[in-house]
Amino acid sequence: MLDKERNNKIFGIFEINSKKNKEINEIVSFAANYWADLMSLEKDRQIGFEMGKGYIDLTAKELEKFKKSFINYVLKNFPANGSIMLWTSDGANFEDVGTDAYLPLIMKSCNLPLTCLPSDMCMWISENKIVVEDNFKQEVIYDTERKIKNGY
């Protein structure tokens, strides 16, 4: 009987962790799609465009590489408790301020320039929600508890 109880407890732990990992994977995938959409659809918000260098037209293949790199990197560095924050400066201040420490590594792994990222972007990704800030206004774009998935 003791062996049976141990097996049930172990199975229960894996089941809980598996569900949590699935939710985090969904959240990070949603975040990757959000960034990719901004990069491809709102070209006038690209850092390079704001710097006067024109916009970078990304192919579907490049966007897929970005999303895969983004997802892999964020999942690998996702904190056990808390959130991960990604941000970019605007084009006018990019030379001095740049981006957070994660984005250069993500962009390097997918071989894309930082200047194709959306400017003045800030995103917090936690276990159950994604919050973005635009023009000093925060908006929840994904929330597992309230079943919000804005834009998709």
Side-chain angles (χ1 to χ4, degrees):
M1 177 133 171
L2 186 57
D3 287 339
K4 187 175 183 180
E5 281 185 39
R6 285 184 184 166
N7 288 338
N8 286 340
K9 287 181 182 178
I10 291 171
F11 179 73
I13 291 169
F14 285 127
E15 191 175 281
I16 290 168
N17 286 339
S18 177
K19 182 180 179 197
K20 183 177 177 180
N21 287 341
K22 183 180 176 195
E23 288 175 352
I24 291 172
N25 287 342
E26 286 177 18
I27 287 171
V28 173
S29 293
F30 186 92
N33 285 321
Y34 187 88
W35 281 83
D37 283 352
L38 284 178
M39 290 164 54
S40 65
L41 300 176
E42 296 190 28
K43 294 179 177 142
D44 60 336
R45 279 198 63 190
Q46 282 185 353
I47 293 169
F49 181 82
E50 286 191 355
M51 293 174 74
K53 298 179 180 179
Y55 63 83
I56 299 168
D57 207 10
L58 300 170
T59 66
K61 187 176 180 178
E62 289 172 322
L63 290 169
E64 285 304 313
K65 280 178 65 177
F66 166 79
K67 289 191 277 189
K68 183 177 179 182
S69 177
F70 183 98
I71 291 165
N72 289 336
Y73 190 85
V74 171
L75 287 175
K76 188 170 83 174
N77 292 287
F78 204 86
N81 292 315
S83 64
I84 192 167
M85 183 174 81
L86 305 166
W87 58 267
T88 63
S89 65
D90 61 8
N93 298 300
F94 181 71
E95 301 275 336
D96 298 324
V97 180
T99 69
D100 64 73
Y102 296 118
L103 286 171
L105 298 171
I106 292 169
M107 300 308 280
K108 182 178 180 180
S109 72
C110 64
N111 201 27
L112 290 172
L114 282 170
T115 54
C116 71
L117 289 169
S119 73
D120 202 19
M121 171 74 175
C122 189
M123 176 184 278
W124 293 270
I125 307 168
S126 68
E127 293 178 355
N128 61 350
K129 74 170 96 172
I130 300 171
V131 178
V132 294
E133 184 176 300
D134 191 19
N135 290 326
F136 303 103
K137 294 178 186 172
Q138 291 186 359
E139 177 185 7
V140 176
I141 61 167
Y142 190 105
D143 189 333
T144 58
E145 294 171 4
R146 294 189 297 160
K147 306 295 185 220
I148 296 171
K149 291 185 182 181
N150 290 349
Y152 299 99

